[in-house]
Amino acid sequence: MPAEYVRGDVTPNSSWLPPRLVDALLLASVVVAGATGVGSILAGTPSDAWVFWLHGVAGVILVGALAAKLRRVSHRLTGSWNRTVTISVALTVLAVLALASGFAWTLGFLEQVGPFTGLVLHAYVGIALLPVFIVHLYARFRTPTRQDASRRNALKLSATLVAGAVAWRVTRLLGPARRFTGSTERGSDDGNRFPVTSWVADDPDPVDADDWTLTVTGRVDTALELDEPAVLGNAPASDGAIDATEQRALLDCTSGWYSEHDWRGVRVADLLDAADADPDADWVRFTSVTGYRWSLPREEAEGALLATHVDGDRIAHGHGYPLRLVAPGRRGFQWVKWLDSVQVRSRSDPAQWLVTLISGFD
Protein backbone atom coordinates (compact mmCIF):
# COMPACT_ATOMS: atom_id res chain seq x y z
CA MET A 1 0.00 0.00 0.00
CA PRO A 2 1.43 3.45 -0.87
CA ALA A 3 2.88 5.29 2.08
CA GLU A 4 0.52 8.24 1.64
CA TYR A 5 -2.44 6.01 2.47
CA VAL A 6 -1.21 5.38 6.00
CA ARG A 7 0.59 8.66 6.71
CA GLY A 8 -0.56 10.34 9.89
CA ASP A 9 -2.52 7.26 11.04
CA VAL A 10 -5.17 7.89 8.37
CA THR A 11 -6.21 4.76 6.52
CA PRO A 12 -8.13 4.46 3.28
CA ASN A 13 -11.25 3.34 5.18
CA SER A 14 -11.27 6.37 7.48
CA SER A 15 -12.64 8.76 4.87
CA TRP A 16 -15.51 8.80 2.40
CA LEU A 17 -13.20 8.52 -0.62
CA PRO A 18 -9.60 7.28 -1.00
CA PRO A 19 -6.96 10.03 -0.79
CA ARG A 20 -6.12 10.04 -4.48
CA LEU A 21 -9.78 10.28 -5.44
CA VAL A 22 -10.17 13.18 -3.03
CA ASP A 23 -7.23 14.86 -4.75
CA ALA A 24 -8.76 14.19 -8.17
CA LEU A 25 -12.08 15.59 -6.97
CA LEU A 26 -10.30 18.70 -5.71
CA LEU A 27 -8.60 19.13 -9.07
CA ALA A 28 -11.83 18.66 -11.01
CA SER A 29 -13.71 21.06 -8.72
CA VAL A 30 -11.11 23.81 -9.07
CA VAL A 31 -10.92 23.38 -12.85
CA VAL A 32 -14.71 23.47 -13.22
CA ALA A 33 -15.10 26.39 -10.81
CA GLY A 34 -12.35 28.33 -12.57
CA ALA A 35 -13.62 27.62 -16.09
CA THR A 36 -17.24 28.45 -15.26
CA GLY A 37 -16.15 31.54 -13.33
CA VAL A 38 -14.41 32.85 -16.43
CA GLY A 39 -17.28 31.72 -18.63
CA SER A 40 -19.81 33.55 -16.47
CA ILE A 41 -18.34 36.86 -17.64
CA LEU A 42 -20.02 36.36 -21.02
CA ALA A 43 -23.11 34.45 -19.86
CA GLY A 44 -26.07 36.81 -19.90
CA THR A 45 -29.12 34.93 -21.18
CA PRO A 46 -31.27 32.40 -19.28
CA SER A 47 -29.97 29.64 -21.53
CA ASP A 48 -26.57 30.25 -19.92
CA ALA A 49 -27.87 29.54 -16.41
CA TRP A 50 -26.14 26.14 -16.37
CA VAL A 51 -22.76 27.93 -16.22
CA PHE A 52 -23.63 29.54 -12.89
CA TRP A 53 -25.29 26.39 -11.59
CA LEU A 54 -22.19 24.32 -12.37
CA HIS A 55 -19.97 26.96 -10.76
CA GLY A 56 -21.98 26.81 -7.55
CA VAL A 57 -22.09 23.01 -7.41
CA ALA A 58 -18.32 22.86 -7.96
CA GLY A 59 -17.89 25.26 -5.05
CA VAL A 60 -20.00 23.12 -2.71
CA ILE A 61 -18.11 19.96 -3.66
CA LEU A 62 -14.84 21.82 -3.22
CA VAL A 63 -15.76 22.59 0.39
CA GLY A 64 -16.18 18.91 1.21
CA ALA A 65 -13.12 17.77 -0.73
CA LEU A 66 -10.97 20.46 0.87
CA ALA A 67 -12.15 19.48 4.35
CA ALA A 68 -11.24 15.84 3.65
CA LYS A 69 -7.85 16.87 2.32
CA LEU A 70 -7.07 19.07 5.31
CA ARG A 71 -8.04 16.29 7.70
CA ARG A 72 -5.52 14.02 6.00
CA VAL A 73 -2.56 16.41 5.80
CA SER A 74 -3.00 18.71 8.81
CA HIS A 75 -0.26 16.85 10.70
CA ARG A 76 2.31 18.36 8.29
CA LEU A 77 1.80 21.78 9.89
CA THR A 78 3.45 20.57 13.09
CA GLY A 79 6.70 19.67 11.37
CA SER A 80 9.29 21.80 9.64
CA TRP A 81 7.97 23.89 6.76
CA ASN A 82 9.57 23.58 3.37
CA ARG A 83 8.64 25.29 0.09
CA THR A 84 5.95 22.71 -0.70
CA VAL A 85 4.23 23.08 2.66
CA THR A 86 4.35 26.88 2.40
CA ILE A 87 2.71 26.78 -1.02
CA SER A 88 0.09 24.34 0.28
CA VAL A 89 -0.75 26.66 3.20
CA ALA A 90 -1.01 29.68 0.88
CA LEU A 91 -3.28 27.69 -1.44
CA THR A 92 -5.47 26.61 1.48
CA VAL A 93 -5.85 30.18 2.73
CA LEU A 94 -6.81 31.44 -0.74
CA ALA A 95 -9.22 28.54 -1.26
CA VAL A 96 -10.94 29.19 2.05
CA LEU A 97 -11.22 32.91 1.25
CA ALA A 98 -12.60 32.19 -2.22
CA LEU A 99 -15.18 29.74 -0.91
CA ALA A 100 -16.15 31.89 2.07
CA SER A 101 -16.59 35.03 -0.04
CA GLY A 102 -18.60 33.12 -2.65
CA PHE A 103 -21.01 31.62 -0.17
CA ALA A 104 -21.22 34.84 1.85
CA TRP A 105 -22.26 36.66 -1.33
CA THR A 106 -24.80 33.98 -2.22
CA LEU A 107 -26.34 34.08 1.27
CA GLY A 108 -26.40 37.89 1.35
CA PHE A 109 -23.81 38.37 4.11
CA LEU A 110 -21.19 40.12 1.97
CA GLU A 111 -22.80 42.67 -0.32
CA GLN A 112 -20.03 45.28 -0.24
CA VAL A 113 -16.38 45.40 0.88
CA GLY A 114 -15.03 48.93 0.46
CA PRO A 115 -15.23 49.79 -3.25
CA PHE A 116 -15.91 46.18 -4.24
CA THR A 117 -19.03 44.06 -4.16
CA GLY A 118 -18.71 40.67 -2.50
CA LEU A 119 -18.89 39.04 -5.93
CA VAL A 120 -15.95 41.07 -7.26
CA LEU A 121 -13.91 40.22 -4.14
CA HIS A 122 -14.72 36.54 -4.70
CA ALA A 123 -13.54 36.81 -8.31
CA TYR A 124 -10.27 38.52 -7.36
CA VAL A 125 -9.44 35.87 -4.76
CA GLY A 126 -10.27 33.15 -7.28
CA ILE A 127 -7.92 34.71 -9.83
CA ALA A 128 -5.13 34.89 -7.23
CA LEU A 129 -5.71 31.23 -6.33
CA LEU A 130 -5.21 29.77 -9.79
CA PRO A 131 -1.44 30.28 -10.26
CA VAL A 132 -0.73 29.00 -6.73
CA PHE A 133 -2.92 25.98 -7.47
CA ILE A 134 -0.96 25.20 -10.65
CA VAL A 135 2.36 25.30 -8.76
CA HIS A 136 0.94 23.06 -6.03
CA LEU A 137 -0.53 20.66 -8.59
CA TYR A 138 2.82 20.25 -10.31
CA ALA A 139 4.52 19.32 -7.04
CA ARG A 140 1.91 17.15 -5.32
CA PHE A 141 -0.73 15.63 -7.60
CA ARG A 142 -0.83 11.87 -8.14
CA THR A 143 -3.28 10.11 -10.40
CA PRO A 144 -5.77 7.62 -8.91
CA THR A 145 -4.80 3.94 -8.99
CA ARG A 146 -6.72 0.93 -10.29
CA GLN A 147 -7.52 0.13 -6.69
CA ASP A 148 -9.42 3.44 -6.49
CA ALA A 149 -11.53 2.66 -9.56
CA SER A 150 -14.00 0.37 -7.82
CA ARG A 151 -17.78 0.25 -8.20
CA ARG A 152 -18.19 1.29 -4.59
CA ASN A 153 -16.02 4.37 -5.07
CA ALA A 154 -17.91 5.22 -8.27
CA LEU A 155 -21.18 5.13 -6.34
CA LYS A 156 -19.70 7.24 -3.58
CA LEU A 157 -18.43 9.76 -6.10
CA SER A 158 -21.86 9.92 -7.77
CA ALA A 159 -23.53 10.44 -4.40
CA THR A 160 -21.07 13.26 -3.68
CA LEU A 161 -22.00 15.03 -6.91
CA VAL A 162 -25.73 14.69 -6.23
CA ALA A 163 -25.27 15.95 -2.66
CA GLY A 164 -23.32 18.91 -3.99
CA ALA A 165 -26.12 19.82 -6.40
CA VAL A 166 -28.76 19.56 -3.66
CA ALA A 167 -26.67 21.58 -1.21
CA TRP A 168 -26.16 24.33 -3.79
CA ARG A 169 -29.88 24.50 -4.48
CA VAL A 170 -30.58 24.82 -0.75
CA THR A 171 -27.97 27.58 -0.48
CA ARG A 172 -29.68 29.55 -3.24
CA LEU A 173 -33.05 29.17 -1.53
CA LEU A 174 -31.63 30.44 1.78
CA GLY A 175 -30.04 33.52 0.22
CA PRO A 176 -31.71 36.72 -1.05
CA ALA A 177 -33.56 36.77 -4.37
CA ARG A 178 -31.05 36.94 -7.19
CA ARG A 179 -31.08 36.59 -10.94
CA PHE A 180 -29.61 33.35 -12.33
CA THR A 181 -26.31 35.22 -12.72
CA GLY A 182 -26.18 35.87 -8.96
CA SER A 183 -26.96 39.57 -9.44
CA THR A 184 -29.37 41.53 -7.24
CA GLU A 185 -31.76 44.21 -8.52
CA ARG A 186 -30.70 47.84 -8.14
CA GLY A 187 -32.34 50.98 -9.49
CA SER A 188 -34.71 49.55 -12.09
CA ASP A 189 -37.08 52.07 -13.74
CA ASP A 190 -35.46 54.93 -11.83
CA GLY A 191 -33.62 56.84 -14.52
CA ASN A 192 -29.92 57.37 -13.90
CA ARG A 193 -30.16 56.18 -10.31
CA PHE A 194 -28.61 52.78 -10.86
CA PRO A 195 -24.98 51.92 -9.99
CA VAL A 196 -22.17 53.60 -11.92
CA THR A 197 -19.36 51.20 -12.78
CA SER A 198 -16.44 51.27 -15.19
CA TRP A 199 -14.38 48.46 -16.63
CA VAL A 200 -10.76 48.59 -15.36
CA ALA A 201 -9.43 52.12 -16.08
CA ASP A 202 -12.26 53.62 -18.15
CA ASP A 203 -13.01 56.91 -16.40
CA PRO A 204 -12.94 59.79 -18.91
CA ASP A 205 -13.69 63.44 -18.29
CA PRO A 206 -17.27 64.43 -19.22
CA VAL A 207 -17.73 64.49 -22.98
CA ASP A 208 -18.44 67.92 -24.52
CA ALA A 209 -21.37 67.22 -26.84
CA ASP A 210 -20.56 70.30 -28.92
CA ASP A 211 -17.24 68.69 -29.93
CA TRP A 212 -18.57 65.13 -30.18
CA THR A 213 -19.74 63.18 -33.22
CA LEU A 214 -20.72 59.60 -33.92
CA THR A 215 -19.05 58.13 -36.99
CA VAL A 216 -20.26 55.09 -38.92
CA THR A 217 -17.51 53.66 -41.13
CA GLY A 218 -16.07 50.40 -42.43
CA ARG A 219 -17.90 48.36 -45.01
CA VAL A 220 -20.53 50.97 -45.81
CA ASP A 221 -21.38 52.84 -49.00
CA THR A 222 -22.10 56.08 -47.17
CA ALA A 223 -19.92 56.94 -44.18
CA LEU A 224 -21.84 58.91 -41.57
CA GLU A 225 -20.82 61.58 -39.09
CA LEU A 226 -23.68 62.53 -36.79
CA ASP A 227 -23.68 65.25 -34.17
CA GLU A 228 -25.80 65.23 -31.01
CA PRO A 229 -28.95 66.77 -32.56
CA ALA A 230 -28.86 64.19 -35.36
CA VAL A 231 -28.51 61.31 -32.88
CA LEU A 232 -31.33 62.73 -30.76
CA GLY A 233 -33.53 62.94 -33.85
CA ASN A 234 -33.85 66.73 -33.51
CA ALA A 235 -32.04 67.74 -36.69
CA PRO A 236 -33.74 68.19 -40.09
CA ALA A 237 -33.88 65.04 -42.20
CA SER A 238 -31.54 66.69 -44.68
CA ASP A 239 -28.89 66.82 -41.93
CA GLY A 240 -29.00 63.04 -41.43
CA ALA A 241 -31.21 62.77 -38.36
CA ILE A 242 -32.47 59.25 -37.57
CA ASP A 243 -35.76 58.69 -35.79
CA ALA A 244 -35.49 57.74 -32.14
CA THR A 245 -37.06 54.57 -30.81
CA GLU A 246 -37.57 52.94 -27.40
CA GLN A 247 -36.54 49.54 -26.16
CA ARG A 248 -36.79 47.86 -22.77
CA ALA A 249 -33.68 45.97 -21.76
CA LEU A 250 -32.01 44.54 -18.67
CA LEU A 251 -28.44 45.51 -17.82
CA ASP A 252 -26.66 42.77 -15.82
CA CYS A 253 -23.27 43.86 -14.50
CA THR A 254 -20.53 41.34 -13.71
CA SER A 255 -19.98 43.10 -10.38
CA GLY A 256 -23.22 41.55 -9.11
CA TRP A 257 -26.24 43.76 -9.81
CA TYR A 258 -28.85 44.14 -12.53
CA SER A 259 -31.18 46.95 -13.53
CA GLU A 260 -34.03 47.03 -16.06
CA HIS A 261 -35.04 50.20 -17.91
CA ASP A 262 -36.79 51.75 -20.85
CA TRP A 263 -34.04 53.05 -23.14
CA ARG A 264 -34.48 55.51 -25.99
CA GLY A 265 -32.11 56.16 -28.84
CA VAL A 266 -31.08 55.07 -32.32
CA ARG A 267 -31.59 51.50 -33.47
CA VAL A 268 -28.35 50.09 -34.84
CA ALA A 269 -30.32 48.53 -37.70
CA ASP A 270 -31.57 51.99 -38.74
CA LEU A 271 -28.05 53.36 -38.50
CA LEU A 272 -26.68 50.61 -40.74
CA ASP A 273 -29.49 51.16 -43.23
CA ALA A 274 -28.70 54.89 -43.37
CA ALA A 275 -25.06 54.07 -44.07
CA ASP A 276 -26.04 51.41 -46.64
CA ALA A 277 -23.90 48.81 -44.89
CA ASP A 278 -22.60 45.85 -46.89
CA PRO A 279 -25.06 42.98 -46.31
CA ASP A 280 -22.15 40.51 -46.42
CA ALA A 281 -20.31 42.19 -43.52
CA ASP A 282 -20.94 40.00 -40.49
CA TRP A 283 -19.68 42.07 -37.54
CA VAL A 284 -20.21 45.52 -36.06
CA ARG A 285 -17.66 47.10 -33.71
CA PHE A 286 -18.57 49.78 -31.16
CA THR A 287 -15.80 52.02 -29.81
CA SER A 288 -15.70 54.46 -26.90
CA VAL A 289 -13.89 57.79 -26.66
CA THR A 290 -11.54 55.95 -24.27
CA GLY A 291 -10.56 53.40 -26.92
CA TYR A 292 -12.60 50.66 -25.25
CA ARG A 293 -14.46 48.59 -27.82
CA TRP A 294 -16.62 45.54 -28.33
CA SER A 295 -17.93 43.74 -31.41
CA LEU A 296 -21.25 42.01 -31.96
CA PRO A 297 -22.36 39.67 -34.76
CA ARG A 298 -24.29 41.63 -37.39
CA GLU A 299 -27.65 40.00 -36.65
CA GLU A 300 -27.33 40.65 -32.92
CA ALA A 301 -26.04 44.19 -33.45
CA GLU A 302 -29.08 45.10 -35.52
CA GLY A 303 -31.25 44.32 -32.50
CA ALA A 304 -29.21 46.64 -30.27
CA LEU A 305 -29.78 50.31 -29.48
CA LEU A 306 -27.51 53.33 -29.15
CA ALA A 307 -29.16 54.97 -26.16
CA THR A 308 -29.39 58.67 -25.39
CA HIS A 309 -32.05 58.39 -22.64
CA VAL A 310 -32.94 56.03 -19.81
CA ASP A 311 -36.50 56.08 -18.40
CA GLY A 312 -37.01 59.45 -20.07
CA ASP A 313 -33.86 61.05 -18.56
CA ARG A 314 -30.86 62.06 -20.63
CA ILE A 315 -28.14 59.51 -19.86
CA ALA A 316 -25.70 60.86 -17.27
CA HIS A 317 -21.95 60.96 -17.77
CA GLY A 318 -21.37 57.97 -15.50
CA HIS A 319 -23.69 55.89 -17.64
CA GLY A 320 -22.12 56.87 -20.95
CA TYR A 321 -23.30 60.35 -22.02
CA PRO A 322 -23.80 61.26 -24.78
CA LEU A 323 -24.35 57.74 -26.17
CA ARG A 324 -24.06 54.15 -24.96
CA LEU A 325 -24.68 50.75 -26.45
CA VAL A 326 -27.66 48.78 -25.15
CA ALA A 327 -27.08 45.12 -26.04
CA PRO A 328 -29.84 42.86 -24.62
CA GLY A 329 -28.56 39.51 -23.38
CA ARG A 330 -24.99 40.79 -23.02
CA ARG A 331 -23.23 41.53 -19.74
CA GLY A 332 -22.77 45.15 -18.68
CA PHE A 333 -19.11 45.48 -19.68
CA GLN A 334 -20.15 44.84 -23.28
CA TRP A 335 -22.57 47.80 -23.25
CA VAL A 336 -19.94 50.26 -24.50
CA LYS A 337 -20.23 53.71 -22.91
CA TRP A 338 -19.21 57.15 -24.26
CA LEU A 339 -19.65 55.74 -27.74
CA ASP A 340 -18.25 57.70 -30.69
CA SER A 341 -17.61 55.13 -33.43
CA VAL A 342 -19.46 52.30 -35.14
CA GLN A 343 -17.56 50.24 -37.68
CA VAL A 344 -19.01 47.57 -39.97
CA ARG A 345 -16.50 44.75 -40.36
CA SER A 346 -15.95 41.42 -42.06
CA ARG A 347 -14.42 39.75 -39.00
CA SER A 348 -14.66 39.76 -35.23
CA ASP A 349 -12.10 41.61 -33.13
CA PRO A 350 -10.10 39.28 -30.82
CA ALA A 351 -7.93 42.22 -29.73
CA GLN A 352 -10.91 43.71 -27.91
CA TRP A 353 -10.04 41.49 -24.92
CA LEU A 354 -6.67 43.21 -24.60
CA VAL A 355 -8.22 46.63 -25.10
CA THR A 356 -10.59 46.06 -22.18
CA LEU A 357 -7.51 45.85 -19.92
CA ILE A 358 -5.59 48.87 -21.23
CA SER A 359 -8.25 51.33 -22.41
CA GLY A 360 -8.52 54.44 -20.31
CA PHE A 361 -4.85 54.52 -19.29
CA ASP A 362 -3.12 57.70 -20.35
Side-chain angles (χ1 to χ4, degrees):
M1 182 179 296
E4 65 178 306
Y5 277 76
V6 296
R7 189 178 298 159
D9 298 325
V10 178
T11 66
N13 295 325
S14 65
S15 61
W16 175 249
L17 291 171
R20 292 197 181 200
L21 274 185
V22 171
D23 291 349
L25 189 59
L26 272 169
L27 171 60
S29 299
V30 171
V31 169
V32 170
T36 52
V38 172
S40 69
I41 295 175
L42 293 174
T45 61
S47 62
D48 298 322
W50 65 270
V51 175
F52 301 90
W53 179 85
L54 197 56
H55 183 76
V57 172
V60 172
I61 293 174
L62 189 54
V63 170
L66 183 61
K69 175 80 170 183
L70 291 177
R71 178 173 176 269
R72 191 176 87 231
V73 303
S74 58
H75 66 279
R76 296 176 186 169
L77 298 176
T78 60
S80 59
W81 284 27
N82 55 24
R83 177 175 176 272
T84 300
V85 173
T86 302
I87 292 174
S88 298
V89 171
L91 178 61
T92 301
V93 171
L94 288 171
V96 170
L97 287 175
L99 291 169
S101 58
F103 284 106
W105 167 262
T106 300
L107 293 170
F109 299 142
L110 190 70
E111 293 294 330
Q112 198 74 29
V113 182
F116 306 114
T117 64
L119 185 60
V120 170
L121 180 64
H122 169 67
Y124 284 163
V125 176
I127 292 171
L129 179 149
L130 290 177
V132 181
F133 177 75
I134 292 172
V135 173
H136 174 79
L137 184 67
Y138 178 78
R140 300 297 305 174
F141 182 72
R142 301 293 183 270
T143 58
T145 64
R146 288 185 178 180
Q147 180 182 355
D148 298 325
S150 66
R151 180 178 297 179
R152 174 176 294 183
N153 286 335
L155 291 173
K156 287 182 177 181
L157 188 59
S158 298
T160 299
L161 299 178
V162 171
V166 172
W168 172 244
R169 178 59 178 166
V170 171
T171 301
R172 287 298 303 269
L173 292 175
L174 293 175
R178 297 188 185 277
R179 197 166 182 253
F180 70 89
T181 58
S183 297
T184 53
E185 188 279 326
R186 296 188 186 178
S188 292
D189 297 310
D190 199 16
N192 286 293
R193 289 169 289 280
F194 60 98
V196 174
T197 58
S198 292
W199 187 259
V200 189
D202 267 10
D203 186 22
D205 292 330
V207 176
D208 185 349
D210 291 336
D211 297 328
W212 171 89
T213 58
L214 172 69
T215 60
V216 183
T217 59
R219 292 185 57 177
V220 299
D221 286 344
T222 306
L224 303 179
E225 185 171 2
L226 306 176
D227 58 11
E228 185 184 31
V231 171
L232 291 172
N234 296 333
S238 59
D239 292 337
I242 299 175
D243 291 339
T245 188
E246 290 193 356
Q247 181 172 342
R248 187 162 182 83
L250 185 148
L251 169 62
D252 193 328
C253 181
T254 52
S255 61
W257 57 267
Y258 75 89
S259 196
E260 191 170 13
H261 302 273
D262 292 317
W263 307 86
R264 187 168 83 244
V266 177
R267 290 179 65 241
V268 175
D270 293 340
L271 200 64
L272 300 186
D273 286 344
D276 197 12
D278 185 345
D280 294 326
D282 294 330
W283 291 83
V284 182
R285 184 168 72 185
F286 304 90
T287 305
S288 168
V289 297
T290 66
Y292 188 99
R293 63 181 190 250
W294 200 265
S295 299
L296 296 177
R298 172 74 171 267
E299 184 176 358
E300 183 180 355
E302 289 180 342
L305 186 78
L306 305 187
T308 57
H309 290 75
V310 55
D311 298 326
D313 296 339
R314 189 71 168 95
I315 284 181
H317 166 67
H319 295 308
Y321 176 89
L323 197 65
R324 81 169 298 165
L325 176 65
V326 171
R330 293 281 181 162
R331 301 306 294 274
F333 77 94
Q334 296 165 300
W335 291 34
V336 181
K337 297 195 288 188
W338 310 295
L339 191 66
D340 71 350
S341 172
V342 175
Q343 186 180 50
V344 181
R345 296 166 52 87
S346 300
R347 298 180 178 85
S348 61
D349 181 16
Q352 65 195 11
W353 285 104
L354 174 62
V355 173
T356 62
L357 300 177
I358 63 176
S359 66
F361 287 106
D362 292 330

